[in-house]
Amino acid sequence: MLLRCLLLLLAGSAHAKPQLTWLQTDWPPHQIVSGPFQGQGTFDLLLQQLSAAMPQFEHQTRLVNLARLEQAFLQQEPALCALGTLYSEQRAQSRLFSGPMAVGPALAVGYIAGKLTAHPAMQDNGADMHKLALDRALTGAYQPNRLYPDIIEPLLQHPDTNLTSHAFTSEVNAAGLLAGNRVDYVVEYPERMQYYNLLLPQAAMLEHRAIVGANVASVSYITCSTDEVGQAAITAVNKLLPKLWQQAEYVQAMQRWLDDSARRRLSTDLQQLQQQALMQLKPRPDDAVDTGN
């Protein structure tokens, strides 16, 4: 009897599916972990489609903050994946990248309508971050522990910067900081600001300006650990993406929180990335074409 049970256990183990853990963060409107739109984030919807199309894995999720997500990959924890990561050569040393997963607007400067329109930093082609961040009469806000374009990163460490660190989550409303006059501007993705604005008792009138020297669109990827399960997951994802990019449901989920003007601005980049997905091109450093963390 004992031998029979042992054989059954071994047989079951031999056919067990590899377990894959998807790291998630409180990152609305891409991953929404609480509130009236819980589970309706861009990446939430894309993960539902990916998981259903990858039945060869047992899928589970783990909620972490941005810093812990980065640490998990740096420490080479096994069988991990995450959605919506921006590519960098440094990150590619500790994790595997898929082909392009999604495209969205790049980081921009958000502020109360009319407040900074006449500021010297506001040029015809966008906001000059150097002039804006070094103006001691202003206070800006940014989200720590994520990848920023080269034009912004040095300003975060500059001794005279007016940029202050805020961990924007479902509990810390970036639009609320502007509406409450706690900061003058926020460096953030427009769709995130629009989501936060929806949650305010009374929506604020917001304006957004592109950042001079950075791109106007942002491409994100799926990343997985470098172990055997992570490699298998990336292989499966790369086989799926060319098909998913051609499905209306996938594109609709990707654009769930974009307004019509953002969709029009991104139409060319979207078409380009659909072609890249079909060709299964590898990711490359590209701030401009910089939805993710």
Side-chain angles (χ1 to χ4, degrees):
M1 183 65 178
L2 180 60
L3 179 59
R4 183 171 179 269
C5 291
L6 181 58
L7 290 174
L8 289 173
L9 179 62
L10 290 174
S13 299
H15 293 90
K17 299 178 181 180
Q19 189 171 78
L20 189 61
T21 299
W22 295 89
L23 298 180
Q24 296 181 306
T25 60
D26 185 358
W27 191 256
H30 302 302
Q31 290 175 329
I32 305 175
V33 302
S34 62
F37 302 106
Q38 182 176 355
Q40 294 300 304
T42 304
F43 300 160
D44 297 325
L45 299 176
L46 296 185
L47 180 56
Q48 292 174 19
Q49 296 186 38
L50 282 165
S51 298
M54 297 168 63
Q56 66 270 43
F57 297 92
E58 290 288 347
H59 300 272
Q60 66 176 15
T61 60
R62 187 202 308 172
L63 183 63
V64 296
N65 60 32
L66 285 177
R68 182 67 188 91
L69 185 148
E70 290 295 314
Q71 185 182 37
F73 284 111
L74 289 173
Q75 293 179 342
Q76 298 290 296
E77 293 186 24
L80 299 180
C81 287
L83 282 81
T85 303
L86 299 184
Y87 180 84
S88 73
E89 292 183 357
Q90 182 178 6
R91 285 177 169 178
Q93 295 176 11
S94 62
R95 67 206 80 176
L96 303 173
F97 276 78
S98 72
M101 181 200 80
V103 60
L107 285 167
V109 174
Y111 54 95
I112 298 295
K115 184 170 186 177
L116 296 178
T117 305
H119 192 279
M122 298 303 173
Q123 304 177 0
D124 291 340
N125 59 338
D128 183 327
M129 280 303 303
H130 193 268
K131 291 181 179 179
L132 197 63
L134 299 184
D135 184 343
R136 290 184 174 274
L138 300 178
T139 300
Y142 75 98
Q143 166 82 50
N145 299 311
R146 69 179 180 195
L147 188 67
Y148 283 95
D150 292 341
I151 196 70
I152 296 178
E153 190 69 43
L155 293 171
L156 304 181
Q157 310 301 326
H158 196 288
D160 296 324
T161 188
N162 61 38
L163 283 161
T164 57
S165 171
H166 293 266
F168 304 138
T169 65
S170 297
E171 305 298 325
V172 181
N173 190 308
L177 295 180
L178 293 173
N181 204 33
R182 294 175 58 188
V183 300
D184 299 293
Y185 69 95
V186 176
V187 179
E188 190 49 273
Y189 294 96
E191 71 270 25
R192 293 199 80 202
M193 295 302 295
Q194 290 164 8
Y195 172 84
Y196 286 127
N197 209 16
L198 282 175
L199 300 182
L200 295 179
Q202 182 174 353
M205 292 294 293
L206 300 181
E207 290 185 7
H208 296 92
R209 295 295 296 272
I211 295 172
V212 175
N215 291 324
V216 297
S218 171
V219 177
S220 59
Y221 305 89
I222 294 169
T223 54
C224 294
S225 51
T226 59
D227 63 299
E228 185 176 348
V229 175
Q231 291 178 27
I234 285 292
T235 298
V237 164
N238 281 336
K239 288 180 179 179
L240 284 172
L241 284 174
K243 300 175 184 177
L244 292 174
W245 273 86
Q246 305 308 305
Q247 296 180 9
E249 295 83 0
Y250 187 84
V251 176
Q252 289 170 1
M254 186 196 317
Q255 299 184 341
R256 169 74 169 83
W257 293 96
L258 300 183
D259 60 22
D260 291 339
S261 62
R263 296 184 188 196
R264 287 194 298 270
R265 291 196 306 273
L266 293 170
S267 60
T268 300
D269 296 301
L270 179 60
Q271 292 173 5
Q272 176 187 354
L273 286 172
Q274 285 176 320
Q275 292 301 316
Q276 287 186 14
L278 285 171
M279 296 170 64
Q280 296 190 351
L281 295 182
K282 294 181 179 180
R284 54 189 172 82
D286 195 345
D287 290 333
V289 190
D290 178 27
T291 296
N293 313 331

